[in-house]
C-alpha cells in the first residue's frame, strides 16, 4: 500500500504563492517495522524519514491529509529524478498526467 500525504504548509516560496489548499505532498511506504516517508527537498534530494503510527497520527492532527492507494510501489521508482513533490508522488503510483502539477490537483484526482 502506498500513502500519499498532503500538507497545508510549505517552507518554500513558490508553492506558497501558486498552490491553493495543499502546498506539499510526500510518499509514505509501509515497511515491516513501520513506515518510510520520502520527503522531497529539491531536485536529486529526497530524504527518507522513518515513521511509526504515532507519527502519522501527529501529522494528521497538524493538518496533513492522507490518501491510501491500494497499489504496490512501482518497481522502477527512483525519487531522486523527480522535479517536484507532485512528480515524485505521480511516479510512485504510476500516474502519467501532464495536467496535474499542484498537490491539490493530485489530491482531487486520487481521492475519488
Amino acid at each position: 500500500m502506498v500513502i500519499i500525504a498532503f500538507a497545508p504548509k510549505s517552507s518554500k516560496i513558490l508553492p506558497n504563492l501558486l498552490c491553493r489548499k495543499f502546498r506539499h505532498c510526500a510518499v509514505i511506504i509501509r515497511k515491516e517495522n513501520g513506515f518510510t516517508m520520502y520527503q522531497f527537498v529539491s531536485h536529486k534530494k529526497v530524504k527518507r524519514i522513518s515513521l511509526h503510527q504515532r507519527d502519522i497520527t501527529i501529522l494528521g492532527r497538524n493538518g496533513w491529509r492522507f490518501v491510501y492507494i491500494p497499489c504496490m510501489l512501482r518497481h522502477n521508482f527512483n525519487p531522486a529524478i523527480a522535479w517536484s513533490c507532485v512528480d515524485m508522488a505521480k511516479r510512485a503510483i504510476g500516474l502519467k498526467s501532464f495536467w496535474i502539477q499542484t498537490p491539490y490537483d493530485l489530491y482531487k484526482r486520487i481521492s475519488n
Side-chain angles (χ1 to χ4, degrees), residues 5-10 21-26 63-65 103:
F6 296 92
K9 298 177 186 174
S10 176
K21 189 172 182 178
F22 299 115
R23 290 177 170 83
H24 185 67
C25 62
W64 287 60
R65 297 271 177 96

Side-chain angles (χ1 to χ4, degrees), residues 87-107:
D87 187 32
M88 182 182 66
K90 289 190 316 185
R91 288 175 188 269
I93 60 175
L95 182 63
K96 296 179 181 178
S97 178
F98 173 76
W99 301 108
I100 298 174
Q101 295 295 322
T102 64
Y104 186 62
D105 291 339
L106 181 64
Y107 179 78

Side-chain angles (χ1 to χ4, degrees), residues 2-64:
V2 177
I3 304 168
I4 307 294
F6 296 92
K9 298 177 186 174
S10 176
S11 62
K12 309 276 184 190
I13 295 171
L14 199 58
N16 285 329
L17 294 175
L18 298 178
C19 301
R20 288 185 281 170
K21 189 172 182 178
F22 299 115
R23 290 177 170 83
H24 185 67
C25 62
V27 177
I28 301 175
I29 308 300
R30 181 154 179 83
K31 298 288 184 180
E32 62 275 351
N33 58 352
F35 299 93
T36 301
M37 179 165 68
Y38 292 95
Q39 182 77 28
F40 182 82
V41 178
S42 66
H43 181 60
K44 296 188 179 182
K45 267 192 184 174
V46 176
K47 288 191 176 182
R48 290 183 183 182
I49 302 170
S50 296
L51 298 176
H52 298 286
Q53 184 62 41
R54 178 179 175 269
D55 300 324
I56 292 179
T57 305
I58 291 171
L59 288 174
R61 286 185 196 148
N62 288 319
W64 287 60

